[in-house]
């Protein structure tokens, strides 16, 4: 669209948002006080506005929420990004929330482009990532990828041993140490492992030696046969670690 301001003798060209290139020239005619006419032309050219993007990655422990913001740069400061969306990998449509099966859920702040990833508690490893699409004032779009990775939660077991005189029970509590600072996981169950069958139980009897029992807090009690003296084969304790995410899954 061309507009002529007769007062200040200027021409304004407002291009369509999707137009790039040289517009058709328009003739401009001026006339002096004597009525002499002079013609010239005005030819505007619209250069392409481009966007560049940089992918983003992040990494945290199992179950912990992660965030990342891919960056988008426009070739001119006169044009701004108006919206950010995620691209649903199942149907390639722009959305604000996506759940990736067996991995977790993504959401995006459509004003800032920050992506939040809430992993499934049991998921570890690199994700398949999610596509982020930015749209500018001209309707032009650019894609980038956000790829979070989930590090397995490493639990460190601590063995225990005891010694006592003949006939007296002995007690100890093997521990399971979580990484420092982890608040979304806890040891929720402890069981004895039956030698040989590897089944889980609260009580194991060792013929001729005594009986192991375990309580809900993981304390193991060994009650020896009154006549037994000597070493007792160690009993294994299995701890169950429950990991939660921000959705309390």
């Amino acid at each position: 669209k061309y507009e002529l301001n007769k007062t200040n003798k200027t021409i304004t060209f407002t291009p369509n948002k999707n137009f790039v290139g040289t517009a058709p020239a328009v003739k401009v005619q001026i006339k002096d006080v004597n009525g002499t006419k002079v013609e010239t032309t005005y030819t505007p050219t619209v250069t392409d506005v481009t966007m560049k993007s940089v992918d983003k990655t992040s990494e945290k422990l199992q179950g912990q929420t992660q965030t990342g913001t891919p960056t988008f740069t426009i070739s001119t400061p006169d044009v701004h990004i108006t919206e950010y969306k995620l691209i649903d990998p199942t149907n390639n449509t722009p959305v604000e929330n996506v759940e990736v099966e067996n991995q977790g859920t993504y959401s995006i702040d459509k004003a800032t482009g920050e992506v939040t990833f809430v992993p499934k508690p049991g998921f570890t490893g690199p994700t398949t990532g999610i596509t982020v699409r930015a749209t500018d004032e001209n309707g032009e779009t650019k894609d980038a990828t956000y790829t979070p990775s989930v590090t397995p939660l490493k639990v460190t077991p601590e063995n225990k041993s005891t010694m006592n005189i003949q006939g007296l029970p002995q007690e100890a509590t093997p521990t399971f140490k979580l990484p420092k600072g982890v608040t979304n996981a806890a040891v929720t169950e402890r069981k004895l492992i039956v030698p040989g069958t590897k089944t889980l139980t609260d009580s194991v009897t060792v013929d001729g030696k005594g009986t192991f029992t375990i309580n809900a807090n993981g304390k193991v009690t060994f009650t020896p046969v009154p006549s037994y003296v000597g070493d007792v084969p160690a009993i294994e304790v299995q701890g169950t670690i429950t990991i939660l995410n921000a959705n309390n899954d």
Side-chain angles (χ1 to χ4, degrees), residues 76-94:
T76 172
D78 297 324
V79 177
H80 303 92
I81 293 173
T82 57
E83 188 178 62
Y84 300 89
K85 286 289 186 77
L86 302 173
I87 302 301
D88 190 327
T90 62
N91 53 27
N92 204 38
T93 57

PDB file of all heavy atoms in Angstrom, residues 76-94:
ATOM      1  N   THR A  76      16.620  -8.249  12.316  1.00  0.00           N
ATOM      2  CA  THR A  76      16.398  -6.808  12.505  1.00  0.00           C
ATOM      3  C   THR A  76      15.704  -6.577  13.845  1.00  0.00           C
ATOM      4  O   THR A  76      14.807  -7.341  14.222  1.00  0.00           O
ATOM      5  CB  THR A  76      15.530  -6.212  11.374  1.00  0.00           C
ATOM      6  OG1 THR A  76      15.193  -4.858  11.711  1.00  0.00           O
ATOM      7  CG2 THR A  76      14.255  -7.000  11.180  1.00  0.00           C
ATOM      8  N   PRO A  77      16.076  -5.517  14.553  1.00  0.00           N
ATOM      9  CA  PRO A  77      15.412  -5.215  15.829  1.00  0.00           C
ATOM     10  C   PRO A  77      14.009  -4.649  15.654  1.00  0.00           C
ATOM     11  O   PRO A  77      13.283  -4.470  16.631  1.00  0.00           O
ATOM     12  CB  PRO A  77      16.347  -4.177  16.461  1.00  0.00           C
ATOM     13  CG  PRO A  77      17.029  -3.525  15.311  1.00  0.00           C
ATOM     14  CD  PRO A  77      17.195  -4.599  14.273  1.00  0.00           C
ATOM     15  N   ASP A  78      13.612  -4.374  14.399  1.00  0.00           N
ATOM     16  CA  ASP A  78      12.289  -3.795  14.152  1.00  0.00           C
ATOM     17  C   ASP A  78      11.175  -4.837  14.168  1.00  0.00           C
ATOM     18  O   ASP A  78       9.993  -4.484  14.177  1.00  0.00           O
ATOM     19  CB  ASP A  78      12.280  -3.085  12.792  1.00  0.00           C
ATOM     20  CG  ASP A  78      13.256  -1.914  12.755  1.00  0.00           C
ATOM     21  OD1 ASP A  78      13.390  -1.248  13.804  1.00  0.00           O
ATOM     22  OD2 ASP A  78      13.885  -1.690  11.710  1.00  0.00           O
ATOM     23  N   VAL A  79      11.570  -6.114  14.133  1.00  0.00           N
ATOM     24  CA  VAL A  79      10.579  -7.198  14.141  1.00  0.00           C
ATOM     25  C   VAL A  79      10.789  -8.029  15.400  1.00  0.00           C
ATOM     26  O   VAL A  79      11.928  -8.324  15.777  1.00  0.00           O
ATOM     27  CB  VAL A  79      10.715  -8.087  12.886  1.00  0.00           C
ATOM     28  CG1 VAL A  79       9.731  -9.251  12.936  1.00  0.00           C
ATOM     29  CG2 VAL A  79      10.493  -7.258  11.628  1.00  0.00           C
ATOM     30  N   HIS A  80       9.706  -8.406  16.037  1.00  0.00           N
ATOM     31  CA  HIS A  80       9.788  -9.126  17.303  1.00  0.00           C
ATOM     32  C   HIS A  80       9.057 -10.466  17.232  1.00  0.00           C
ATOM     33  O   HIS A  80       8.144 -10.650  16.412  1.00  0.00           O
ATOM     34  CB  HIS A  80       9.192  -8.286  18.432  1.00  0.00           C
ATOM     35  CG  HIS A  80       9.824  -6.945  18.587  1.00  0.00           C
ATOM     36  ND1 HIS A  80       9.348  -5.829  17.948  1.00  0.00           N
ATOM     37  CD2 HIS A  80      10.914  -6.539  19.295  1.00  0.00           C
ATOM     38  CE1 HIS A  80      10.101  -4.787  18.249  1.00  0.00           C
ATOM     39  NE2 HIS A  80      11.062  -5.183  19.064  1.00  0.00           N
ATOM     40  N   ILE A  81       9.456 -11.375  18.100  1.00  0.00           N
ATOM     41  CA  ILE A  81       8.770 -12.665  18.221  1.00  0.00           C
ATOM     42  C   ILE A  81       7.496 -12.446  19.021  1.00  0.00           C
ATOM     43  O   ILE A  81       7.491 -11.785  20.062  1.00  0.00           O
ATOM     44  CB  ILE A  81       9.676 -13.704  18.907  1.00  0.00           C
ATOM     45  CG1 ILE A  81      10.863 -14.032  17.988  1.00  0.00           C
ATOM     46  CG2 ILE A  81       8.900 -14.975  19.247  1.00  0.00           C
ATOM     47  CD1 ILE A  81      11.902 -14.922  18.621  1.00  0.00           C
ATOM     48  N   THR A  82       6.415 -12.990  18.527  1.00  0.00           N
ATOM     49  CA  THR A  82       5.114 -12.801  19.170  1.00  0.00           C
ATOM     50  C   THR A  82       4.650 -14.026  19.949  1.00  0.00           C
ATOM     51  O   THR A  82       3.796 -13.896  20.831  1.00  0.00           O
ATOM     52  CB  THR A  82       4.040 -12.454  18.130  1.00  0.00           C
ATOM     53  OG1 THR A  82       3.996 -13.502  17.140  1.00  0.00           O
ATOM     54  CG2 THR A  82       4.354 -11.132  17.447  1.00  0.00           C
ATOM     55  N   GLU A  83       5.207 -15.203  19.635  1.00  0.00           N
ATOM     56  CA  GLU A  83       4.705 -16.407  20.304  1.00  0.00           C
ATOM     57  C   GLU A  83       5.678 -17.563  20.154  1.00  0.00           C
ATOM     58  O   GLU A  83       6.394 -17.681  19.161  1.00  0.00           O
ATOM     59  CB  GLU A  83       3.348 -16.808  19.707  1.00  0.00           C
ATOM     60  CG  GLU A  83       2.648 -17.916  20.450  1.00  0.00           C
ATOM     61  CD  GLU A  83       1.290 -18.218  19.835  1.00  0.00           C
ATOM     62  OE1 GLU A  83       1.243 -18.630  18.651  1.00  0.00           O
ATOM     63  OE2 GLU A  83       0.273 -18.036  20.526  1.00  0.00           O
ATOM     64  N   TYR A  84       5.692 -18.410  21.209  1.00  0.00           N
ATOM     65  CA  TYR A  84       6.455 -19.658  21.178  1.00  0.00           C
ATOM     66  C   TYR A  84       5.495 -20.819  21.414  1.00  0.00           C
ATOM     67  O   TYR A  84       4.601 -20.727  22.252  1.00  0.00           O
ATOM     68  CB  TYR A  84       7.524 -19.677  22.276  1.00  0.00           C
ATOM     69  CG  TYR A  84       8.556 -18.573  22.197  1.00  0.00           C
ATOM     70  CD1 TYR A  84       8.346 -17.349  22.829  1.00  0.00           C
ATOM     71  CD2 TYR A  84       9.753 -18.766  21.508  1.00  0.00           C
ATOM     72  CE1 TYR A  84       9.289 -16.337  22.774  1.00  0.00           C
ATOM     73  CE2 TYR A  84      10.710 -17.759  21.452  1.00  0.00           C
ATOM     74  CZ  TYR A  84      10.472 -16.553  22.094  1.00  0.00           C
ATOM     75  OH  TYR A  84      11.415 -15.555  22.046  1.00  0.00           O
ATOM     76  N   LYS A  85       5.714 -21.898  20.682  1.00  0.00           N
ATOM     77  CA  LYS A  85       4.883 -23.095  20.853  1.00  0.00           C
ATOM     78  C   LYS A  85       5.760 -24.356  20.782  1.00  0.00           C
ATOM     79  O   LYS A  85       6.859 -24.336  20.211  1.00  0.00           O
ATOM     80  CB  LYS A  85       3.807 -23.183  19.766  1.00  0.00           C
ATOM     81  CG  LYS A  85       2.647 -22.193  19.924  1.00  0.00           C
ATOM     82  CD  LYS A  85       1.763 -22.560  21.081  1.00  0.00           C
ATOM     83  CE  LYS A  85       0.527 -21.664  21.169  1.00  0.00           C
ATOM     84  NZ  LYS A  85      -0.500 -22.010  20.192  1.00  0.00           N
ATOM     85  N   LEU A  86       5.252 -25.429  21.358  1.00  0.00           N
ATOM     86  CA  LEU A  86       5.842 -26.750  21.179  1.00  0.00           C
ATOM     87  C   LEU A  86       5.197 -27.396  19.963  1.00  0.00           C
ATOM     88  O   LEU A  86       4.056 -27.082  19.617  1.00  0.00           O
ATOM     89  CB  LEU A  86       5.587 -27.628  22.415  1.00  0.00           C
ATOM     90  CG  LEU A  86       6.098 -27.113  23.762  1.00  0.00           C
ATOM     91  CD1 LEU A  86       5.616 -28.023  24.881  1.00  0.00           C
ATOM     92  CD2 LEU A  86       7.612 -27.017  23.763  1.00  0.00           C
ATOM     93  N   ILE A  87       5.924 -28.308  19.338  1.00  0.00           N
ATOM     94  CA  ILE A  87       5.364 -29.049  18.207  1.00  0.00           C
ATOM     95  C   ILE A  87       5.111 -30.484  18.654  1.00  0.00           C
ATOM     96  O   ILE A  87       6.039 -31.206  19.032  1.00  0.00           O
ATOM     97  CB  ILE A  87       6.306 -29.026  16.988  1.00  0.00           C
ATOM     98  CG1 ILE A  87       6.583 -27.580  16.566  1.00  0.00           C
ATOM     99  CG2 ILE A  87       5.701 -29.822  15.840  1.00  0.00           C
ATOM    100  CD1 ILE A  87       5.341 -26.785  16.195  1.00  0.00           C
ATOM    101  N   ASP A  88       3.842 -30.867  18.652  1.00  0.00           N
ATOM    102  CA  ASP A  88       3.465 -32.222  19.048  1.00  0.00           C
ATOM    103  C   ASP A  88       4.045 -33.212  18.039  1.00  0.00           C
ATOM    104  O   ASP A  88       3.711 -33.145  16.848  1.00  0.00           O
ATOM    105  CB  ASP A  88       1.941 -32.334  19.080  1.00  0.00           C
ATOM    106  CG  ASP A  88       1.457 -33.630  19.713  1.00  0.00           C
ATOM    107  OD1 ASP A  88       2.147 -34.662  19.569  1.00  0.00           O
ATOM    108  OD2 ASP A  88       0.391 -33.616  20.344  1.00  0.00           O
ATOM    109  N   PRO A  89       4.914 -34.130  18.490  1.00  0.00           N
ATOM    110  CA  PRO A  89       5.550 -35.043  17.530  1.00  0.00           C
ATOM    111  C   PRO A  89       4.593 -36.053  16.903  1.00  0.00           C
ATOM    112  O   PRO A  89       4.927 -36.657  15.881  1.00  0.00           O
ATOM    113  CB  PRO A  89       6.616 -35.756  18.390  1.00  0.00           C
ATOM    114  CG  PRO A  89       6.116 -35.652  19.786  1.00  0.00           C
ATOM    115  CD  PRO A  89       5.382 -34.345  19.868  1.00  0.00           C
ATOM    116  N   THR A  90       3.407 -36.212  17.481  1.00  0.00           N
ATOM    117  CA  THR A  90       2.465 -37.201  16.933  1.00  0.00           C
ATOM    118  C   THR A  90       1.683 -36.671  15.740  1.00  0.00           C
ATOM    119  O   THR A  90       1.261 -37.442  14.878  1.00  0.00           O
ATOM    120  CB  THR A  90       1.479 -37.677  18.014  1.00  0.00           C
ATOM    121  OG1 THR A  90       0.696 -36.552  18.473  1.00  0.00           O
ATOM    122  CG2 THR A  90       2.225 -38.294  19.184  1.00  0.00           C
ATOM    123  N   ASN A  91       1.495 -35.341  15.674  1.00  0.00           N
ATOM    124  CA  ASN A  91       0.702 -34.794  14.563  1.00  0.00           C
ATOM    125  C   ASN A  91       1.264 -33.487  13.994  1.00  0.00           C
ATOM    126  O   ASN A  91       0.643 -32.863  13.142  1.00  0.00           O
ATOM    127  CB  ASN A  91      -0.746 -34.572  15.010  1.00  0.00           C
ATOM    128  CG  ASN A  91      -0.841 -33.730  16.276  1.00  0.00           C
ATOM    129  OD1 ASN A  91       0.034 -32.922  16.567  1.00  0.00           O
ATOM    130  ND2 ASN A  91      -1.920 -33.936  17.040  1.00  0.00           N
ATOM    131  N   ASN A  92       2.436 -33.076  14.506  1.00  0.00           N
ATOM    132  CA  ASN A  92       3.147 -31.905  13.985  1.00  0.00           C
ATOM    133  C   ASN A  92       2.352 -30.607  14.126  1.00  0.00           C
ATOM    134  O   ASN A  92       2.488 -29.690  13.307  1.00  0.00           O
ATOM    135  CB  ASN A  92       3.534 -32.116  12.514  1.00  0.00           C
ATOM    136  CG  ASN A  92       4.725 -31.264  12.113  1.00  0.00           C
ATOM    137  OD1 ASN A  92       5.657 -31.078  12.891  1.00  0.00           O
ATOM    138  ND2 ASN A  92       4.705 -30.739  10.900  1.00  0.00           N
ATOM    139  N   THR A  93       1.528 -30.515  15.172  1.00  0.00           N
ATOM    140  CA  THR A  93       0.750 -29.296  15.389  1.00  0.00           C
ATOM    141  C   THR A  93       1.327 -28.487  16.549  1.00  0.00           C
ATOM    142  O   THR A  93       1.854 -29.053  17.508  1.00  0.00           O
ATOM    143  CB  THR A  93      -0.725 -29.620  15.690  1.00  0.00           C
ATOM    144  OG1 THR A  93      -0.790 -30.488  16.833  1.00  0.00           O
ATOM    145  CG2 THR A  93      -1.370 -30.297  14.502  1.00  0.00           C
ATOM    146  N   PRO A  94       1.231 -27.147  16.496  1.00  0.00           N
ATOM    147  CA  PRO A  94       1.715 -26.305  17.595  1.00  0.00           C
ATOM    148  C   PRO A  94       0.794 -26.412  18.818  1.00  0.00           C
ATOM    149  O   PRO A  94      -0.421 -26.273  18.700  1.00  0.00           O
ATOM    150  CB  PRO A  94       1.683 -24.898  17.005  1.00  0.00           C
ATOM    151  CG  PRO A  94       1.572 -25.081  15.520  1.00  0.00           C
ATOM    152  CD  PRO A  94       0.812 -26.344  15.331  1.00  0.00           C
TER     153      PRO A  94
END
